Amino acid sequence: MIIPTIPRFRQIFTDLWRPLTVMFFWDVLVTIVYFAQPEGYTDFQSSALSKTTLTLFGTVVALFLGFRSNSAYARWWEGRILWGLMINASRNINRCALSFVGAADERARALRDRIIINQCAYVHVLRCQLRGTDREEPARRLLDKTDADHALKFTNAANALMNDSAMAVENARREGYIDTMQQNRIEAIFIDILDSQGGMERIKKTPLPMQYRLFPQLFVRVFCVFLPIGMAPYLGIWTPIGSSLVALMFLAALRIGDDLVDPFANTPHDLPLHAMCSTIEVDLMEGIGRKPPKMPEPVHGVLW
């Protein structure tokens, strides 16, 4: 996630310089052709693409872009809400393990630590699964070799870790460290966690409908092609500059939708999953007296 509030014009230029360059040369070509045509043709061009026609076309394109950007942002914001719920649920698991299971003896401490460390590993593995990155590093860093090997055998290793935590809770009940009411309370939190995971996987695996992806891109490109033709009679030699600036706004709006549509894409525009998982790990590890990791810092204004 980009942290600074000031726009990073270098990033904007990096994302859009190719289509803008093509657009500028097209604007220059249209302007040259316009001044080289006979007067009658220029009058026809002016009437065929009048200000009203161009404005109506641009309004329709802007409506399509608005719908697309709103839909993309809704997905991004839902992802943030789900991870906020994950942070809260992880803290609740930590509190229940500390207060319910406790540290009466070595076995109780082992079960307590297993539940809490599993939760730390769970969120990091889930982060890697959503981003499509290597999930072995956090699993092997937090778990012992046997537990890590067991979890990584599964396609959904995060779900396997949650099942292991549920078994640890059941063992704690069976051995008398917690009662049935406390076990049900912890299970309710596990259900909230898995509901959040299901919502994240739904966002990740369900793209925007084809119409939301295809038509705005098509209409923006068609609009940019006709834009200098309609602006040339009114801007004259300034057409390349004016047309390129308008095209920049439409292309930037199109790019915003592309950047926000997948909040787990491991790009500068997605959610700071690593920072949120590290927040969970710090809170939980401090609860059992273990050294917490260092919180990640923004890299070139981006918090990952």
Side-chain angles (χ1 to χ4, degrees):
M1 184 174 67
I2 298 175
I3 300 301
T5 56
I6 301 176
R8 302 193 310 167
F9 294 102
R10 180 178 179 182
Q11 181 67 39
I12 297 174
F13 180 76
T14 302
D15 293 340
L16 299 177
W17 75 269
R18 290 183 180 86
L20 272 181
T21 301
V22 174
M23 185 65 195
F24 180 77
F25 282 110
W26 169 248
D27 295 342
V28 172
L29 177 61
V30 170
T31 304
I32 293 174
V33 172
Y34 172 77
F35 282 104
Q37 296 301 315
E39 183 177 352
Y41 180 81
T42 57
D43 293 340
F44 169 76
Q45 177 182 344
S46 178
S47 60
L49 283 174
S50 63
K51 290 181 180 179
T52 303
T53 304
L54 205 61
T55 301
L56 289 175
F57 194 8
T59 301
V60 173
V61 174
L63 287 174
F64 271 94
L65 288 177
F67 288 139
R68 185 173 186 267
S69 297
N70 288 338
S71 300
Y73 180 74
R75 290 164 59 90
W76 190 92
W77 184 242
E78 184 183 3
R80 180 60 185 89
I81 291 174
L82 291 172
W83 268 100
L85 294 175
M86 183 68 73
I87 293 173
N88 293 338
S90 299
R91 289 168 176 165
N92 288 333
I93 286 293
N94 181 59
R95 188 182 70 252
C96 288
L98 291 174
S99 60
F100 294 169
V101 182
D105 53 38
E106 185 176 350
R107 176 58 176 166
R109 288 192 295 272
L111 289 171
R112 178 201 66 184
D113 292 356
R114 186 180 189 89
I115 296 170
I116 292 175
I117 293 174
N118 270 4
Q119 185 61 29
C120 295
Y122 166 81
V123 294
H124 280 290
V125 169
L126 177 60
R127 162 180 63 86
C128 295
Q129 289 181 179
L130 292 172
R131 285 183 165 178
T133 56
D134 180 24
R135 62 185 187 174
E136 288 198 20
E137 185 277 326
R140 300 196 182 281
R141 177 174 61 85
L142 291 166
L143 304 171
D144 59 40
K145 186 179 185 304
T146 302
D147 292 338
D149 290 339
H150 174 73
L152 294 173
K153 289 191 305 183
F154 293 88
T155 302
N156 193 336
N159 188 64
L161 287 170
M162 189 56 58
N163 291 337
D164 187 72
S165 294
M167 291 301 300
V169 172
E170 170 60 18
N171 288 336
R173 184 203 62 80
R174 190 178 303 159
E175 297 173 26
Y177 294 111
I178 60 175
D179 58 31
T180 304
M181 294 291 292
Q182 292 169 329
Q183 181 186 21
N184 289 337
R185 176 56 187 151
I186 297 175
E187 280 293 332
I189 302 174
F190 284 160
I191 291 173
D192 291 339
I193 291 172
L194 290 177
D195 285 344
S196 296
Q197 178 181 345
M200 297 170 197
E201 291 171 342
R202 169 176 49 80
I203 294 173
K204 183 66 179 182
K205 297 178 180 179
T206 307
L208 281 178
M210 184 270 294
Q211 296 88 339
Y212 275 73
R213 290 177 282 123
L214 175 62
F215 288 123
Q217 295 182 10
L218 175 63
F219 292 159
V220 166
R221 284 161 174 76
V222 172
F223 177 73
C224 289
V225 168
F226 284 104
L227 186 61
I229 300 175
M231 296 182 71
Y234 309 105
L235 295 183
I237 61 173
W238 300 104
T239 298
I241 296 177
S243 179
S244 296
L245 287 176
V246 175
L248 172 62
M249 291 185 282
F250 279 89
L251 291 172
L254 186 65
R255 184 67 188 217
I256 288 172
D258 292 336
D259 291 337
L260 297 181
V261 71
D262 184 359
F264 314 125
N266 201 25
T267 69
H269 308 281
D270 74 344
L271 294 171
L273 300 188
H274 188 250
M276 288 190 284
C277 291
S278 296
T279 298
I280 293 173
E281 187 178 350
V282 167
D283 292 343
L284 271 59
M285 286 299 185
E286 287 181 341
I288 57 176
R290 299 202 179 188
K291 183 179 179 180
K294 183 180 179 181
M295 287 295 297
E297 299 289 336
V299 179
H300 303 299
V302 177
L303 185 62
W304 295 92

